[in-house]
Amino acid sequence: MFCDSTDWVPMGFACGQTGIGISEVVAYVSSSINNLNVSTLFNGTDWASTNKRKKVIINSGVTIGSTNPAQSALQTSSSRGNILTIINSGTIAGAGGAANGGAGGNAIQVQQTSVTIINSGNIYGGGGGGGRGGNGGTGGAGSFSYSVREPSSGEYFTVNEYEVRDADGNQLITRGFYWGGGKIYASYAASYSTGGVTYYRGSQRGSGSTSSGSNTKYGIYRTYTATSGTAGGAGGNGGNGGRGQGFDGANAAGTIGSAGSPGGTNAGTGGTGGAGGAGGTWGVAGTAGSTGNTGTSGNAGSGLAGVAGNAGGPAGAAITGSGYTVTNSGTILGSY
């Protein structure tokens, strides 16, 4: 039988009633739409009635999609009386997962039991987003040597504190090299080395003699080799993962990681970041990002290993929920 005047018909749809005993309300989806809640195809009384079966027929050429992975393309809603049958000859497609591990969106979300899905068209879960690549490892530590002179120019001279003294007679006990108030070498020479430090006799600063002996005083300076450490370069950032395939766009490959930074003198360069993973195709999880590369070694230490890449995002389901049956002669990509 045909719809009577009490049946509600939304714009772009048609409906009818058939059956013997328990009646059936039929809604036709004849134009494409996003994020369809099937309860909006029926008036409230018909939807809640336990004496009326509900049937939704999606025509060939119609696409029901979603641009938000968190929202299914088609939702069966709840608070429905009697059974719901969905006959799909069109395409129902979830959104693609966001780059860097976003989950793909579901195509159909069954929110109440007693649903039958008969598919001769296409039902596609969104692909998961590819995982971000891991950062590169830090370069190994380095070091370098350099010469130090104290003072940086000229020489020190302070009696009995910073000086070189030559003496004889009763003054002989004062002969030697003095540094910082202490005698470090009890003899007279042009230079004296100890512990990697060389002390040098500088220019004459004074002399004198008495009946007990003579002495001559000189300035003093010293040189030695010092070592300084340097840090390894920072590792490069991992590349971004690609987005997953969905109603809102094709899947994409991940980007390559950035190069590591150079280290200090004789230190290692940071490792290049790992490449991001590719986004998944319909109903397929995104691939994981690659591990970042190890930093190069410096002359004072080895480079560190790169960080593991992040996991790819899970795929959206073709159909999710419970209490439904599926008869399929078309294409379903994704779990159901």
Side-chain angles (χ1 to χ4, degrees), residues 148-157 179 202-203 205 219-223:
V148 178
R149 186 187 192 281
E150 295 180 340
S152 59
S153 63
E155 57 198 33
Y156 293 131
F157 178 73
W179 189 272
S203 59
R205 297 301 185 97
I220 189 171
Y221 65 94
R222 70 179 184 178
T223 62

Side-chain angles (χ1 to χ4, degrees), residues 138-144 228-234 261-270 296-300:
T138 303
S143 66
F144 65 95
S228 181
T230 57
S261 301
T265 302
N266 296 326
T269 299
T296 60
S297 296
N299 67 349

Side-chain angles (χ1 to χ4, degrees), residues 116-311:
T116 298
I117 299 170
I118 301 171
N119 178 59
S120 61
N122 306 303
I123 303 175
Y124 300 147
R132 183 181 181 277
N135 291 345
T138 303
S143 66
F144 65 95
S145 300
Y146 59 98
S147 296
V148 178
R149 186 187 192 281
E150 295 180 340
S152 59
S153 63
E155 57 198 33
Y156 293 131
F157 178 73
T158 306
V159 175
N160 293 331
E161 187 173 2
Y162 290 97
E163 66 169 334
V164 177
R165 181 181 294 188
D166 184 22
D168 60 14
N170 290 338
Q171 301 294 320
L172 185 62
I173 194 172
T174 65
R175 175 186 285 180
F177 283 67
Y178 293 81
W179 189 272
K183 182 187 287 189
I184 59 173
Y185 181 52
S187 187
Y188 171 77
S191 63
Y192 167 66
S193 297
T194 181
V197 181
T198 300
Y199 298 84
Y200 296 91
R201 184 181 72 217
S203 59
Q204 183 176 332
R205 297 301 185 97
S207 64
S209 62
T210 65
S211 58
S212 61
S214 64
N215 64 73
T216 304
K217 298 175 182 179
Y218 302 85
I220 189 171
Y221 65 94
R222 70 179 184 178
T223 62
Y224 56 91
T225 299
T227 300
S228 181
T230 57
N237 291 327
N240 290 321
R243 58 152 292 143
Q245 185 173 16
F247 168 78
D248 50 334
N251 67 316
T255 61
I256 63 173
S258 60
S261 301
T265 302
N266 296 326
T269 299
T272 300
T281 54
W282 293 118
V284 177
T287 59
S290 299
T291 298
N293 293 280
T294 300
T296 60
S297 296
N299 67 349
S302 299
L304 300 182
V307 178
N310 293 336

